[in-house]
């Protein structure tokens, strides 16, 4: 609040909550908020609109990196990579035997994608290489849109009940907060694996903990949590069937460079009073 006083532009990270109070603390000369992320749930868009402040984000450049991470999490959880690595470090690897660390098949399995936008589609394309059946739920997607990436549109209930893997790619907003909750988790297969690279609060984490300890679903792999950072003593981290990484979806050298350039372009355009090259127009 002190540091924004008098500025014309703010470059924000997803960890910076930029609400009307922050905008007012900056002052009436504030022209632009440039978010160094594609998701903009940390910014009060309505408050910015009311004050005539432009908001920018970084769509597209992080799509492939984030889809790669979603798939890495899917595979790691299915084949229990984190458990395997811990098993060796704990000195438990004494011999080879037929039933050690058995996981789930990926090839031929059914993947459910919730939110068939840029990243959701990129994940669907990766699934094609593993001959997966891909189901998608996304309110405004068309069947042709889904078919272009080998996916079939279904209702949320159908997706939950049929998928071996459920991967979340929705933005966080009032409609998607706790989209995955006790009820929706109960609709999933007991062998299902949940992957979240969207935003932590899309999942009701207490309900997820309960589902993972009671065998409602088999495992979860999370790039995003609620809260972030997730405290090291959080109960989820005690569960062997949970893999958590620290919000690294877009964390590749090239992707972060592209995001930085895009965010800088937005910031400069806004300060100079030009339309932003990548403006947030809804929300
Ligand atoms: P996008 O292209 O806007 O895709 C989001 C999709 O979700 C849209 O197709 C949207 O449909 C759909 N959707 C919205 N509400 C839904 C609902 N209730 N149920 C099902 N689908 C719904 O955005 P993107 O670039 O793929 O990014 C998606 C999100 O991923 C971002 O908002 C961000 O939070 C997250 N993300 C995370 C990381 C990371 O580091 N882990 C990196 C990048 C992005 P409509 O078009 O109908 O609204």
């Amino acid at each position: 609040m002190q540091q924004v006083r008098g500025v014309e532009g703010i470059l924000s990270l997803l960890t910076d909550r930029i609400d009307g109070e922050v905008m007012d603390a900056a002052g009436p000369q504030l022209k632009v908020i440039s978010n160094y992320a594609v998701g903009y749930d940390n910014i009060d868009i309505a408050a910015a609109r009311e004050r005539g402040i432009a908001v920018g984000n970084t769509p597209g450049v992080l799509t492939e990196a984030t889809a790669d991470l979603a798939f890495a999490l899917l595979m790691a959880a299915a084949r229990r990579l984190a458990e395997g690595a811990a098993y060796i470090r704990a000195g438990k690897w004494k011999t080879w035997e037929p039933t050690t660390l058995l996981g789930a098949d990926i090839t031929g399995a059914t993947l459910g994608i919730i939110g068939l936008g840029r990243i959701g589609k990129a994940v669907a394309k990766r699934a094609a290489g593993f001959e997966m059946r891909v189901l998608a739920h996304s309110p405004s997607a068309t069947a042709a849109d889904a078919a272009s990436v080998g996916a079939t549109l279904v209702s949320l209930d159908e997706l939950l009940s049929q998928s071996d893997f459920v991967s979340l790619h929705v933005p966080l907003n009032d409609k998607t907060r706790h989209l995955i909750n006790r009820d929706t988790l109960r609709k999933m297969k007991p062998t299902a694996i949940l992957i979240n690279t969207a935003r932590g609060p899309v999942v009701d984490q207490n309900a997820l903990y309960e589902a993972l300890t009671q065998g409602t679903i088999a495992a979860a792999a999370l790039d995003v949590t609620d809260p972030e950072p997730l405290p090291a003593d959080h109960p989820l981290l005690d569960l062997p069937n949970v893999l958590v990484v620290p919000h690294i979806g877009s964390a590749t050298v090239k992707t972060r460079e592209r995001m930085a350039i895009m965010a800088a372009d937005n910031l400069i355009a806004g300060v100079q009073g030009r339309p932003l090259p990548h403006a947030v127009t809804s929300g």
Side-chain angles (χ1 to χ4, degrees):
M1 297 271 267
Q2 282 166 3
Q3 289 181 353
V4 296
R5 206 158 288 157
V7 303
E8 287 177 72
I10 295 176
L11 181 84
S12 50
L13 304 184
L14 53 86
T15 42
D16 299 318
R17 192 164 57 85
I18 310 290
D19 54 16
E21 216 183 325
V22 175
M23 296 172 203
D24 292 339
Q29 76 298 327
L30 179 64
K31 291 182 188 158
V32 58
I33 299 160
S34 173
N35 212 32
Y36 180 71
V38 64
Y40 46 84
D41 48 278
N42 57 310
I43 299 174
D44 186 337
I45 302 296
R49 197 177 296 129
E50 273 167 28
R51 292 164 177 75
I53 301 164
V55 178
N57 68 341
T58 65
V61 290
L62 38 53
T63 297
E64 307 302 334
T66 309
D68 285 346
L69 188 84
F71 226 85
L73 288 176
L74 182 156
M75 297 189 78
R79 299 305 303 272
R80 304 173 61 181
L81 297 193
E83 283 175 85
Y87 177 86
I88 298 175
R89 289 211 167 92
K92 292 183 184 166
W93 191 13
K94 304 291 186 203
T95 182
W96 186 96
E97 58 109 21
T99 56
T100 301
L101 287 165
L102 300 187
D105 283 306
I106 298 164
T107 300
T110 298
L111 168 64
I113 294 178
I114 304 184
L116 195 64
R118 287 174 291 255
I119 299 169
K121 281 184 187 154
V123 170
K125 285 189 203 161
R126 282 153 180 75
F130 290 83
E131 296 164 22
M132 296 178 95
R133 173 179 168 237
V134 182
L135 305 178
H137 175 72
S138 201
S140 68
T142 64
D145 214 16
S148 72
V149 290
T152 306
L153 289 179
V154 293
S155 68
L156 182 60
D157 280 3
E158 256 178 282
L159 182 147
L160 294 170
S161 64
Q162 292 185 29
S163 297
D164 300 304
F165 300 92
V166 173
S167 192
L168 306 177
H169 301 288
V170 293
L172 173 63
N173 55 39
D174 290 344
K175 286 190 190 138
T176 60
R177 187 175 301 273
H178 289 193
L179 180 72
I180 299 300
N181 53 44
R182 192 169 294 162
D183 288 342
T184 44
L185 284 161
R186 281 200 189 125
K187 291 175 181 166
M188 291 170 66
K189 292 183 179 184
T191 50
I193 295 175
L194 177 72
I195 300 114
N196 189 7
T197 56
R199 284 289 183 266
V202 174
V203 176
D204 175 345
Q205 221 164 251
N206 292 333
L208 177 64
Y209 179 83
E210 204 179 276
L212 289 164
T213 48
Q214 295 177 358
T216 312
I217 67 168
L222 313 172
D223 181 43
V224 288
T225 58
D226 185 14
E228 286 184 14
L230 192 68
D233 61 355
H234 193 281
L236 262 187
L237 298 174
D238 292 333
L239 303 181
N241 51 348
V242 175
L243 169 60
V244 186
V245 293
H247 204 145
I248 54 171
S250 64
T252 73
V253 175
K254 274 191 191 156
T255 301
R256 289 283 166 84
E257 269 176 19
R258 289 186 188 130
M259 289 167 65
I261 290 168
M262 225 167 166
D265 283 344
N266 276 336
L267 186 69
I268 293 165
V271 167
Q272 293 179 339
R274 290 184 282 115
L276 307 196
H278 305 282
V280 172
T281 51
S282 62

